[in-house]
Amino acid sequence: MTEQEARRMRRARFEGLAHLVVEPLHRYLLRRTSADLVDDVLSETMLVLWRRIDDVPGLGTDPVPDPADVLPWCYGVARGCLANARRADGRRLRLVERLIRTQEDAPADADHSELHAALDALGALDREVVRLWAWEGLAPRQIAEATGLTSNAVSIRLHRAKARLAAQLERKDAGRPGHKRDEGRSSQ
């Protein structure tokens, strides 16, 4: 059997299975979740069935399988896909709640427009390196892994980008915050 014939046969098996199980799975999902989630979960279920077509019990080479043989396993797949969708919705909801709390906790008078403008003046890769370092707390080695650069290149980019940011923010020659320039020096 050629590869093309095998693909054609696999497709015919899937189409036969899909024709048989789409409506029962749709009804199954409608009884268990909201109508706006049903189509997404059904699509994910059919994708899993396509990927695992050879694992479907009772699905031989016959293009029209017996529903009693294949439906229970397909219900199990749909049940798993629905559980995944519910977990994903829960994660999204928790993220939104966390973002809302973060916004509420942020000081109202904080204006970071100068910082954002200075960041925007950097190139895209330099901006990403700085954000990974400053906001995500990654070390140059980890940034290198995330961006595909070498650790040395990340260190150089980070050093130069920080210098450009300091210049943009007019803090290049400024002393440490809260200290005067001549503090600690003898007046003699």
Side-chain angles (χ1 to χ4, degrees):
M1 178 182 312
T2 67
E3 187 178 325
Q4 190 174 26
E5 290 171 342
R7 274 187 275 160
R8 194 177 1 245
M9 191 167 136
R10 179 181 172 91
R11 182 176 177 162
R13 288 176 64 211
F14 177 75
E15 287 174 353
L17 177 67
H19 181 71
L20 182 71
V21 300
V22 165
E23 284 304 315
L25 289 176
H26 190 263
R27 287 191 306 269
Y28 171 86
L29 292 168
L30 273 173
R31 288 188 287 269
R32 283 161 179 78
T33 190
S34 62
D36 60 331
L37 193 57
V38 168
D39 289 336
D40 291 338
V41 175
L42 182 59
S43 296
E44 185 64 29
T45 302
M46 297 310 292
L47 181 61
V48 171
L49 292 178
W50 168 255
R51 288 181 184 151
R52 299 193 57 200
I53 191 78
D54 295 330
D55 298 335
V56 178
L59 185 64
T61 56
D62 185 19
V64 183
D66 183 11
D69 293 337
V70 296
L71 269 174
W73 193 81
C74 294
Y75 285 139
V77 171
R79 185 173 180 265
C81 290
L82 181 57
N84 288 342
R86 286 180 175 155
R87 281 191 297 273
D89 279 346
R91 284 190 301 269
R92 276 190 290 275
L93 180 60
R94 287 189 301 276
L95 175 62
V96 167
E97 289 169 352
R98 197 167 53 231
L99 289 172
I100 290 171
R101 280 193 310 271
T102 303
Q103 287 290 40
E104 290 170 352
D105 294 344
D109 60 338
D111 178 26
H112 301 292
S113 58
E114 288 180 25
L115 173 62
H116 290 289
L119 277 170
D120 289 341
L122 296 175
L125 188 55
D126 288 343
R127 188 171 43 246
E128 181 66 10
V129 166
V130 169
R131 287 177 176 164
L132 288 170
W133 172 75
W135 294 347
E136 308 307 327
L138 298 182
R141 176 185 49 80
Q142 296 167 316
I143 296 170
E145 188 176 332
T147 59
L149 298 170
T150 65
S151 295
N152 190 40
V154 168
S155 295
I156 292 168
R157 281 183 175 275
L158 186 58
H159 175 75
R160 290 177 181 167
K162 287 177 3 183
R164 284 194 300 267
L165 283 173
Q168 283 275 359
L169 296 172
E170 299 177 347
R171 295 183 184 158
K172 185 175 182 182
D173 295 325
R176 293 186 305 181
H179 294 273
K180 295 179 184 172
R181 213 177 258 257
D182 60 350
E183 186 174 301
R185 292 186 184 169
S186 171
S187 59
Q188 297 174 11

